[in-house]
Amino acid sequence: MTASFVYDAIRTPFGRFGKSLSGQRPDDLLAVTIKEILARNPGVDPARIDDVIAGAANQAGEDNRDVARMSALLAGLPTSVPGVTVNRLCGSSLQAIMDASRLVETGDSSLVLAGGVESMSRAPWVVSKPSKAFPATNEIMHSTTIGWRLVNPRMPKEWTISLGASNEILAERYGITREEQDAFAASSHVKAAAAWDAGIYENEIVSVPGVDLTRDEGIRADSTVASLSGLKPAFAENGTITAGNSSPLNDGASMLIIGAENAPIDAEPLARIIGRGVAAVDPDVFGIGPVEAVNRALRNAGKTWADVDFVELNEAFAAQSLACLRLWPELDPSRVNIHGGAIAIGHPLGASGGRIVGHAAHELKRRGGGVAVAAICIGVGQGLAVVLER
C-alpha cells in the first residue's frame, strides 16, 4: 500500500439555477475543469493519466452515457485515457475522490483525475414508458432537477418525503430553532463574501469560456438574520425551513488531481488523504448521515476531534448542519466552514464533494499544515467523509 495525495484542485464558480451557467452543458462544464487543471500543471503528460472519475447525481440528460468519458474526450485527452462516472447523489464527486485515492493506494493507478459536475438548470423532464403501446391516457412528466421521481410504490412513504420535510424532522428532533437556522445561514453568506474579498478562493476558481462569472453567483454579503426572518416556511405551514436557510439549486463542476507520492507530476502535493468513511441512516433523516461517516473516517485515520483544525461540512440545509454539530459535541462550531458553505456558495449536487475537499486541501497549504475533515450528507440517507493532512 502507498499513500494518496491531492496535488491540485479547481472548480468553476457556482452559478444559480437558470442564471449565468444555465447555457452550459454539464459535459462542457466538466471538460473545462479537466482542460484547465492540466493547463495549470503543464508537467503532466495527459497520456500518463490512468483514469478520469467523475460524479454526477442526475445523469438523465446531457450528462448521460458516462459524462466522465465524454468530458475527457471534449477536453482533448488522448482516447487512451479511460473515464468512469459514479453516482452517490450529493456525494458523487466525493465518492469519485475516494475511489481515486483507493486506486492510488492499492497501486492500480498513480495519477487520476477525480471530480464532478451538475447542471440543475439543464436537468430534463422525463416521462415513464407506458406498460403497453399506444396509451390513450395522459402521461405525467417528472422534473429531474432534485428529489424523488418515479418512486417505487413499494418504498415506505415516510422515506420518500421531500428533503425540506426531512429537515423539519431534524429541526424538531434536535430542538433547532428558526432563529438558529437563519443565523447559521446569514453567517455562511458573510463568511463566503469575506473570503472572496480576501482572495481566499481565487486560486481554486477557473473561468468558463464565454461566461461573465468570476465569483459564486448566490452569495449575498448583506444577508442578516433580520432579512432572512421575513421568508415564509417552504415545506410546512408552521415550519422553520425556508429558501434562505437552505442551499439553492446550482450549476458547476470541480476537478482534482489525485496521485501517489511518485506520481508523474511536477508539483508539490497540497495534502494527503489519510482517512475515509461512509455511513447510512434512515432516508427521512438523511441530513445526519455525515455524523457516523466522519466518526469512521477519523478512526480510520487514527485521529480524534482534538487533532482536527477545521471542517468543510456541506451545508445542504442549516438544520442538518446544526443537527450534525449537536451530535459532535467535541467539535467547536467556529472551526466549521470558516470561509462559508453551500448555503451561500451553492450546491450543484455532483460537484460539491470536489469543492469541499479541494478547498480543504488548499486551506491546509495556506496554513502550512494541519488536519482537515470534509463531509457531506446525501439524499436517501447516506454520508461520506474524508480526512486530509499536510
Side-chain angles (χ1 to χ4, degrees), residues 61-363:
E62 296 158 339
D63 50 4
N64 77 98
R65 303 299 190 204
D66 194 357
V67 69
R69 173 64 171 170
M70 302 297 190
S71 298
L73 295 174
L74 289 168
L77 266 60
T79 57
S80 59
V81 178
V84 61
T85 303
V86 298
N87 187 348
R88 205 191 283 264
L89 300 180
C90 305
S92 295
S93 54
L94 188 48
Q95 183 67 51
I97 293 163
M98 293 167 70
D99 288 353
S101 68
R102 292 187 183 105
L103 285 174
V104 168
E105 291 172 19
T106 59
D108 287 348
S109 300
S110 63
L111 195 66
V112 181
L113 298 185
V117 66
E118 208 75 49
S119 175
M120 301 179 81
S121 295
R122 299 178 72 86
W125 295 284
V126 298
V127 178
S128 298
K129 284 189 176 180
S131 57
K132 60 181 180 180
F134 312 118
T137 57
N138 295 325
E139 297 297 322
I140 297 174
M141 186 175 286
H142 302 263
S143 172
T144 66
T145 298
I146 191 171
W148 295 82
R149 80 291 300 248
L150 305 177
V151 179
N152 190 314
R154 296 177 53 244
M155 193 71 72
K157 292 188 182 302
E158 64 269 23
W159 287 354
T160 63
I161 60 176
S162 70
L163 302 178
S166 171
N167 276 269
E168 292 287 5
I169 292 174
L170 292 179
E172 182 176 357
R173 178 178 295 184
Y174 295 103
I176 300 167
T177 66
R178 167 72 183 270
E179 291 72 24
E180 285 181 283
Q181 294 175 56
D182 288 347
F184 185 93
S187 176
S188 183
H189 284 282
V190 170
K191 289 187 292 186
W196 269 108
D197 290 343
I200 298 295
Y201 284 116
E202 287 181 0
N203 194 45
E204 302 172 32
I205 302 297
V206 295
S207 61
V208 177
V211 177
D212 184 19
L213 182 66
T214 58
R215 289 192 176 194
D216 300 307
E217 199 165 21
I219 298 172
R220 299 185 298 274
D222 58 350
S223 289
T224 64
V225 175
S227 64
L228 293 176
S229 67
L231 298 175
K232 294 181 178 180
F235 301 97
E237 184 176 354
N238 297 312
T240 61
I241 314 300
T242 72
N245 55 42
S246 310
S247 62
L249 306 179
N250 297 95
D251 311 322
S254 58
M255 187 58 55
L256 291 78
I257 298 177
I258 308 295
E261 191 169 13
N262 61 349
I265 179 173
D266 184 19
E268 176 191 6
L270 298 175
R272 179 184 170 190
I273 297 173
I274 61 170
R276 295 174 291 261
V278 58
V281 295
D282 288 349
D284 55 347
V285 290
F286 77 94
I288 57 173
V291 174
E292 182 56 24
V294 171
N295 294 343
R296 293 177 184 181
L298 287 172
R299 287 196 299 269
N300 292 337
K303 303 290 185 181
T304 68
W305 279 118
D307 301 307
V308 177
D309 294 285
F310 65 93
V311 176
E312 284 292 315
L313 175 63
N314 194 62
E315 299 167 355
F317 293 81
Q320 67 82 204
S321 300
L322 290 165
C324 289
L325 295 179
R326 293 275 207 276
L327 296 169
W328 289 320
E330 312 95 322
L331 174 60
D332 181 352
S334 68
R335 292 188 283 150
V336 178
N337 298 347
I338 55 176
H339 298 135
I343 288 174
I345 294 167
H347 181 22
L349 308 178
S352 290
R355 177 188 74 81
I356 60 175
V357 174
H359 183 61
H362 280 291
E363 177 63 14

